[in-house]
Amino acid sequence: MRLTALATALACLLAPAAHAQTKVELDFPTWQAEEPGPAEFWTEATKAFEAAHPGVMIKKYQVPFREYVDKLTVRFAGGNPPDIVHLPIRNFASFASQGWLKPIDDLLAKTDIKQNFSSLQSELVWDGKTEGVLLLGYGMLLYYNEAMLKEAGVDVPRTPDELIKAIQAITKPDKGIFGWGATTSEHPNIFVDWASWVTGSGASLFTKDGGYNFTAPEVVKALDQFRVAVKNAPKGVSSEAMRQLYIDGKVAMFRDGAFFSSQIKTAPEATRANLKAAMMPFPVIPGGTSNSIHIPAKLDPQRQQLVWEFIEMISKPEWQTKYTQAIKVPAPRKGSFTPDMAAADPMIALAAKASEAAVNIFPTTDAARTNYNQIAKMVGESGMRLINSDRPTEAILKELQDQLNRRVPLK
């Protein structure tokens, strides 16, 4: 009896130690694991979290953006979501509407996030409940190769007409030189290309009452202009390949979020000094919210707590400053971008100016947000027809709008 009691007592004493040694691996897929800038931030953050949580490991790995949302959707639908959920905010509503994300208002109430984050944090409210934390909002920039513009005898464009003339003056397809870069293979980012040109012109792909607006004359006019630009772009490339062509000095100009500037450091030394950025030469600066981080609703409580502690860590001032420096776009926490940063890095200052002026390019009604993935895929299919055929723009857009109204009605 005495030996049994002693063994029981020893087991109780050893139990906490055994628990501390337990390995927990948090699954964290992202499209940014290999992207210069974000990759460094996520690596530093995961290492810091692991150091503060012995026995916990974060398995971070790359999933290409073009297949990211589809793969995540399959995992949630199959009851096998990752532990740390990183989402493009344009797809947030389609996940929230399925009840896949955990409401976190009770957790946020114990922090200062609601008080000290950008008002864009409100985009992560669904059905009256907050279901994630904002990582990034941004404005679009015009990236250009100064040497290529100079060789063609053109200045940095300040208007859409100047932009088109510069693109046409630079393009020499027989020499592998292109005035413009765009997504020219089927890809979710074709929607972003279209919406940027349309929003930049002052128009919208959606009506004020939430319907489709693809056949409006002002939308047709903006996409006609986009079509001229994209005919001077390399064909069959994804957004990732197009960015690389710019870094390699084959594409003279393209539009992208301010976050792209963190990748310029990967350019060859001879090219890097010529890679610069300016405000978009549009009457309206297009932009939007980029990405966010979430907890799956059906994760077990221990893992939910760990994921929340990771989110809480990267939301603190120290990590928000690191995020700003790594991504080169002001993080959502107020005070994470300072005048000293602007003086030290003009690219961050330009990113801040674009973010402040930006008008959202993504749909805002619940119906369109919930169905964004399907809408973007159909726009991508029509985008290929716009790029590869000679059919009138108006006819392609009318066909798209008819299909959207049949397959994804918004009213």
Side-chain angles (χ1 to χ4, degrees), residues 51 145 170 247 253 348 402:
N145 183 313
I170 293 167
I247 286 173
M253 294 181 285
I348 297 182
D402 289 345

Side-chain angles (χ1 to χ4, degrees), residues 97 176 221 223 282 308 359 372 402:
S97 64
K221 182 180 177 183
L223 290 178
F282 291 161
W308 168 247
V359 172
Y372 175 80
D402 289 345

Side-chain angles (χ1 to χ4, degrees), residues 140-302:
M140 298 289 183
L141 295 179
L142 175 72
Y143 292 93
Y144 65 94
N145 183 313
E146 189 175 52
M148 293 176 76
L149 266 64
K150 189 175 180 181
E151 187 174 338
V154 296
D155 295 325
V156 179
R158 296 181 179 179
T159 68
D161 287 343
E162 289 181 5
L163 175 61
I164 294 297
K165 288 177 182 175
I167 290 169
Q168 293 172 324
I170 293 167
T171 301
K172 294 180 176 60
D174 55 323
K175 295 182 179 178
I177 300 298
F178 299 91
W180 188 246
T183 304
T184 52
S185 64
E186 209 163 313
H187 192 285
N189 275 349
I190 287 181
F191 179 94
V192 179
D193 265 336
W194 281 29
S196 294
W197 280 74
V198 171
T199 304
S201 74
S204 174
L205 293 175
F206 299 89
T207 60
K208 289 182 179 177
D209 62 351
Y212 296 113
N213 197 37
F214 289 84
T215 56
E218 60 272 22
V219 171
V220 175
K221 182 180 177 183
L223 290 178
D224 258 336
Q225 204 164 38
F226 164 73
R227 202 174 187 182
V228 174
V230 84
K231 283 189 180 299
N232 291 275
K235 300 299 183 289
V237 301
S238 64
S239 54
E240 295 86 352
M242 179 269 298
R243 288 167 177 161
Q244 189 60 49
L245 287 169
Y246 170 74
I247 286 173
D248 291 341
K250 301 296 183 185
V251 161
M253 294 181 285
F254 78 108
R255 162 220 60 78
D256 207 345
F259 48 80
F260 169 77
S261 61
S262 62
Q263 297 187 36
I264 290 177
K265 62 186 177 186
T266 66
E269 191 174 348
T271 308
R272 197 183 312 146
N274 292 312
L275 304 185
K276 299 186 176 180
M279 296 292 280
M280 285 296 293
F282 291 161
V284 175
I285 303 302
T289 47
S290 174
N291 58 102
S292 50
I293 193 161
H294 311 264
I295 306 171
K298 294 186 178 177
L299 205 61
D300 75 60
Q302 181 198 17

